[in-house]
Amino acid sequence: MKTIYDGVRHTIELRSGTGKKCQHCDFWVGPDQTHAADLGDQINHYIEYHDYKLLHVGTDTDTDYDGQNYTKHPVAIAIVGK
Ligand SMILES: [Zn+2]
């Protein structure tokens, strides 16, 4: 039986609220000081420019530290692969 995972050799985890340079080009995916790209924009970049497919969407937690306390907040994550 064929699944969407067949033939996938390489995966990338994308996180909402976290910016990263694209692994394949100089495009900055995700938010930084000048770009407000959300998780959907990150996914779209890999799908449209590098032929990835969306394999998984879920949630994780990120930890913030304000100098005194650690707080956790949920973030959306997505796994793309090809
Ligand atoms: Zn790229």
Side-chain angles (χ1 to χ4, degrees):
M1 198 179 87
K2 253 186 116 45
T3 73
I4 61 167
Y5 306 110
D6 286 355
V8 172
R9 305 286 301 273
H10 182 72
T11 61
I12 299 172
E13 182 190 296
L14 305 170
R15 301 173 78 84
S16 67
T18 303
K20 237 188 226 177
K21 193 165 86 64
C22 173
Q23 289 192 3
H24 300 285
C25 70
D26 284 335
F27 190 83
W28 184 268
V29 286
D32 62 15
Q33 292 85 355
T34 53
H35 298 81
D38 63 16
L39 183 61
D41 293 327
Q42 298 184 49
I43 296 166
N44 288 343
H45 177 81
Y46 282 101
I47 291 174
E48 289 173 16
Y49 289 86
H50 305 297
D51 293 323
Y52 278 76
K53 49 192 176 185
L54 180 59
L55 300 178
H56 177 76
V57 177
T59 56
D60 195 2
T61 52
D62 269 357
T63 303
D64 288 329
Y65 183 62
D66 65 7
Q68 286 187 318
N69 299 299
Y70 288 98
T71 53
K72 286 186 182 297
H73 63 271
V75 292
I77 63 164
I79 309 294
V80 294
K82 72 173 181 179

